[in-house]
């Protein structure tokens, strides 16, 4: 039951389910404050650092009337005494109605959904998946472009370790995108994701050029941070960390409707002069995460879009 309702990977979501969750997020954007989850407990277990994902999930739970328990650092839990992930999840299943978990191991969320008796929401597992980020990305793309169909999406930076780009390309398989993968050779999109594109009829091109001319046709410019924490060789990180930097001076030829997204945090890959440009959308994108995560928590708890629309617990 928990496994069935969990959000572990974006790969399982149908086109209809994605559009359904986008519609639910839009309902929450109209009225974020409700008592829909009164009496529920949401646990946030973060085995890796986070600002946006944890705080927006916790805000989502609080704004819907749930209570929140959890930890932001596994060192303060009994996992530091050797307690296994399985035992930790069994314990927390006794206390909470849903578990939001970020873990450094790829596959940890899948495992959690198999051993926990309550639904699991994957808040990022290693370099693998970040499905709640993808739902907020899709919501942001839909809001700014009016559609998810036939878009040119440029993924820039760390395409090897960036779980957000892996999840996004899987979700977009329903919507006929053309992806442009822009990365240094060391951080190129892994073969498994290129194969995924080929099997699912997703068009892509690989490029290394990144300048005013090369981004002129983009609908979405999705910048990413080079993920220092995933490198085993820090010399390699030093070699590639400044590969692609977006500056305001590069935006002269872009489409008027083009939006710049970034899952954040940024390090240096978008200069501060871009923040005031009308194409910059990354802070609004992070705000959209609140509404997308309200929708996700409700969905895994079995609250339907119809119930959200009919909800009479809206607060001021
Ligand atoms: N985008 C994202 O996952 O941000 P945090 O690491 O701050 O949660």
């Amino acid at each position: 039951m928990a496994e069935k309702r969990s959000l572990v990977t974006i790969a399982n979501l149908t086109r209809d389910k994605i559009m359904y969750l986008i519609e639910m997020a839009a309902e929450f954007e109209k009225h974020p404050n409700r008592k829909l989850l009164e009496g529920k407990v949401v646990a946030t277990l973060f085995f890796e650092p986070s600002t946006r994902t944890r705080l927006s999930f916790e805000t989502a739970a609080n704004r819907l009337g749930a209570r929140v328990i959890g930890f932001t650092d596994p060192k303060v839990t009994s996992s530091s005494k050797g307690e296994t992930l399985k035992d930790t999840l069994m314990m927390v299943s006794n206390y909470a109605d849903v578990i939001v978990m970020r873990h450094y191991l790829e596959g940890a969320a899948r495992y959690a959904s198999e051993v926990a008796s309550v639904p699991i929401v994957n808040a990022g597992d290693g370099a693998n998946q970040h499905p709640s980020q993808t739902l907020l990305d899709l919501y942001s793309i839909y809001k700014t472009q009016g559609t998810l169909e036939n878009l040119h999406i440029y993924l820039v930076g760390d395409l090897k370790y960036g779980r957000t780009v892996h999840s996004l390309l899987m979700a977009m398989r329903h919507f006929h995108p053309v992806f442009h993968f822009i990365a240094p050779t060391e951080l190129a999109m892994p073969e498994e994701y290129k194969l995924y594109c080929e099997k699912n009829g997703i068009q892509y091109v690989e490029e290394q050029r990144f300048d005013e001319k090369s981004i002129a046709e983009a609908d979405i410019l999705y910048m990413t941070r080079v993920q220092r924490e995933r490198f085993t060789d820090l010399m390699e990180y030093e070699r590639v960390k400044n590969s692609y930097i977006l500056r305001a001076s590069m935006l002269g030829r872009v489409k008027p409707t083009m939006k710049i997204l970034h899952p954040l945090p940024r390090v240096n890959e978008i200069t501060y002069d871009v923040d005031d440009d009308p194409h910059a959308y990354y802070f609004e994108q992070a705000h959209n995460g609140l509404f997308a995560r309200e929708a996700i928590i409700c969905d895994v708890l079995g609250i339907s879009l119809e119930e959200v629309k009919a909800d009479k617990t809206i607060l001021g």
Side-chain angles (χ1 to χ4, degrees), residues 25 29 57 70 78 85 98 102 105 137 158 160 178 183 226 229-230 246 267 272 276 296:
E29 182 160 8
F57 266 118
S78 290
L85 180 59
V98 53
R102 170 170 289 186
L105 288 179
D137 291 345
D158 185 346
K160 179 177 179 186
V178 178
V226 177
E229 67 275 24
R230 311 230 183 267
L246 181 67
V267 181
Y272 288 107
D276 297 325
I296 290 166

Side-chain angles (χ1 to χ4, degrees), residues 46 49-54 102 123 130 133 163-164 263-265 293:
F46 277 66
S50 165
T51 298
R52 275 145 296 274
T53 309
R54 184 178 66 81
R102 170 170 289 186
H130 196 347
Q133 176 71 44
R163 57 193 171 199
T164 65
L264 303 176
R293 287 171 173 136

Side-chain angles (χ1 to χ4, degrees), residues 229-272:
E229 67 275 24
R230 311 230 183 267
F231 282 75
T232 45
D233 176 1
L234 284 183
M235 292 294 283
E236 187 169 309
Y237 169 75
E238 290 298 324
R239 268 199 306 280
V240 295
K241 69 178 185 185
N242 296 323
S243 296
Y244 294 109
I245 297 177
L246 181 67
R247 303 174 194 284
S249 58
M250 293 166 63
L251 298 172
R253 296 191 194 189
V254 297
K255 291 184 181 178
T257 51
M258 190 279 275
K259 291 295 176 199
I260 302 159
L261 303 188
H262 190 311
L264 303 176
R266 79 173 138 184
V267 181
N268 65 343
E269 58 281 354
I270 300 178
T271 56
Y272 288 107

Side-chain angles (χ1 to χ4, degrees), residues 7 10 53 56-57 100 102 121-124 129-138 167 289 292-293 296:
L7 178 62
I10 208 76
T53 309
S56 60
F57 266 118
V100 178
R102 170 170 289 186
V121 177
N122 181 2
Q129 283 264 321
H130 196 347
S132 70
Q133 176 71 44
T134 302
L135 281 164
L136 79 89
D137 291 345
L138 294 172
S167 294
R293 287 171 173 136
I296 290 166

